[in-house]
Amino acid sequence: MEQHPNARLTPRGRETLVSRIESGIGVAEAARQMGVSRQTA
């Protein structure tokens, strides 16, 4: 799958985001750490 060169969340990035949320840090904080909006997270 081709990725946009400026894509914030690659498949690996999505895995990282989900694992951070599952670890209990919260959606808003995980989104901030990953550079995406809370709605995206």
Side-chain angles (χ1 to χ4, degrees), residues 9-27:
L9 291 178
T10 62
R12 178 169 277 169
R14 289 192 291 272
E15 287 178 15
T16 302
L17 176 65
V18 170
S19 69
R20 289 179 184 185
I21 294 168
E22 287 177 340
S23 74
I25 70 165
V27 174

Side-chain angles (χ1 to χ4, degrees), residues 1-2 8 11 15 17 21 25 28 30 33 37-38 41:
M1 177 169 93
E2 293 286 326
R8 292 280 186 183
E15 287 178 15
L17 176 65
I21 294 168
I25 70 165
Q33 290 177 3
S37 70
R38 182 186 54 77

